[in-house]
Amino acid sequence: MDGKHLTMIEHVEELRKRLFFVALFFIAAIAVGFFVAEPIIQHIQYSDEAQQLTLNAFSPLDPLAIYFQVIFIVALVLSSPLLFYQLWAFISPGLYETERKATLAYIPFIFLLFIGGLAFSYYVLFPFVMRFTYDLSNRLEIEQTIGINEYFTFLFQLTLPFGVLFQLPVVLLFLARLGILNPDYMGKVRKYAYFGLFVAAAIIAPPELMSHIIVSVPLFILYEISIVISRVGYKKYLKAEQQRKEEQEARDAELKELERQDIVAAALAEQR
């Protein structure tokens, strides 16, 4: 661990500086979002799911609202790796050197899993949900008049939470690597975790059985993957703890030997 000790105020000040740096990068990412927002919106508009619908603007501000929503999401995605790094850098002085190196390597995987969650929900889940609602409307002879703002809002509500939930394996591995979370405990509370994920799936997915299953099953699989890889991280934690314990015992034995030698030397000096 880092030998430098900071007061609470100094910790808060350091965190404030790091978050300020992230905020500056976020502003720069917003500038990038202005250039890529329009192509992203057009790509979504001309997707197969959107082509089946007539998207309407029910307010003059609807296109502007969508435009800024996409800009914000782009800036958030671009800034997330830096945010994760700054949070890691904030807590890293409290970690051992091996823990610093191990946990730093998790940051790219967190970002990649977030992108993977977005891709899965957009290319797999969202088309299925849209086909279901479109077929249901046809069976009920309902003509859908969908606002473009509502369409994009529904898309974001479905995809963004999945991007967050897909980071579950790396987050749990991170906690296990630090010894905070025991994989055996995760196995014991599996049924409660499944219930929580099932509730989360009910919030994300539309109120329809197949959509609920399509959302729930990947989350259950992610949890099981999290348990497996957390065992690897926890074993490394136990190994590192054992190594530190042996090193501490060796240092203590060395200090005792030095103290014994000092006592012997002092006794010999008195005899002379």
Side-chain angles (χ1 to χ4, degrees):
M1 292 187 180
D2 196 340
K4 183 180 179 181
H5 297 282
L6 302 178
T7 64
M8 179 62 68
I9 295 178
E10 289 173 330
H11 277 298
V12 173
E13 180 64 20
E14 181 186 359
L15 180 62
R16 186 190 68 82
K17 290 179 180 179
R18 294 188 181 280
L19 293 180
F20 179 74
F21 185 70
V22 174
L24 290 179
F25 188 86
F26 181 79
I27 294 173
I30 286 178
V32 175
F34 273 99
F35 293 97
V36 301
E38 186 173 342
I40 292 175
I41 293 172
Q42 290 178 345
H43 172 75
I44 296 174
Q45 279 182 294
Y46 295 119
S47 63
D48 294 338
E49 292 72 36
Q51 287 294 304
Q52 300 178 17
L53 307 168
T54 300
L55 300 179
N56 302 275
F58 297 128
S59 168
L61 296 179
D62 278 354
L64 186 63
I66 296 168
Y67 190 67
F68 278 104
Q69 283 182 47
V70 174
I71 290 174
F72 179 83
I73 291 173
V74 169
L76 185 64
V77 171
L78 293 178
S79 304
S80 59
L82 179 62
L83 175 61
F84 295 142
Y85 173 77
Q86 291 297 336
L87 292 176
W88 171 87
F90 177 71
I91 66 172
S92 63
L95 304 177
Y96 293 98
E97 184 63 26
T98 55
E99 293 173 340
R100 289 195 191 108
K101 293 179 180 180
T103 52
L104 178 61
Y106 298 157
I107 294 178
F109 293 102
I110 292 177
F111 179 71
L112 292 176
L113 284 174
F114 178 74
I115 299 300
L118 293 180
F120 173 83
S121 55
Y122 179 73
Y123 289 108
V124 178
L125 179 61
F126 183 68
F128 178 86
V129 172
M130 292 306 299
R131 283 195 299 271
F132 170 79
T133 56
Y134 183 76
D135 293 340
L136 181 62
S137 298
N138 288 337
R139 291 198 304 269
L140 298 177
E141 298 181 354
I142 297 176
E143 183 178 353
Q144 288 187 331
T145 303
I146 299 178
I148 190 168
N149 189 32
E150 287 72 18
Y151 180 84
F152 275 81
T153 300
F154 176 70
L155 172 63
F156 297 149
Q157 289 176 346
L158 194 64
T159 55
L160 291 178
F162 238 87
V164 175
L165 290 172
F166 258 58
Q167 300 175 41
L168 182 65
V170 177
V171 172
L172 296 182
L173 174 61
F174 176 80
L175 296 176
R177 184 63 181 82
L178 298 181
I180 299 174
L181 188 64
N182 191 327
D184 293 334
Y185 177 77
M186 293 171 59
K188 292 179 181 178
V189 300
R190 179 183 281 108
K191 58 182 179 181
Y192 303 107
Y194 275 20
F195 177 76
L197 294 174
F198 196 74
V199 172
I203 296 173
I204 297 173
E208 186 269 326
L209 180 60
M210 284 304 299
S211 298
H212 201 170
I213 292 175
I214 289 178
V215 174
S216 300
V217 171
L219 295 182
F220 296 159
I221 294 174
L222 282 174
Y223 186 78
E224 294 301 325
I225 293 175
S226 301
I227 294 178
V228 173
I229 65 175
S230 294
R231 294 186 189 281
V232 177
Y234 195 70
K235 286 180 180 179
K236 291 182 179 180
Y237 162 76
L238 294 177
K239 183 178 179 181
E241 283 297 304
Q242 181 64 29
Q243 182 178 355
R244 281 195 290 268
K245 183 179 179 180
E246 292 175 356
E247 291 175 354
Q248 184 63 41
E249 290 176 351
R251 284 194 295 268
D252 292 343
E254 184 179 352
L255 289 174
K256 289 181 179 179
E257 178 63 23
L258 291 175
E259 289 176 358
R260 189 189 67 80
Q261 292 178 2
D262 291 340
I263 293 173
V264 172
L268 292 175
E270 290 178 359
Q271 292 178 358
R272 293 175 184 175

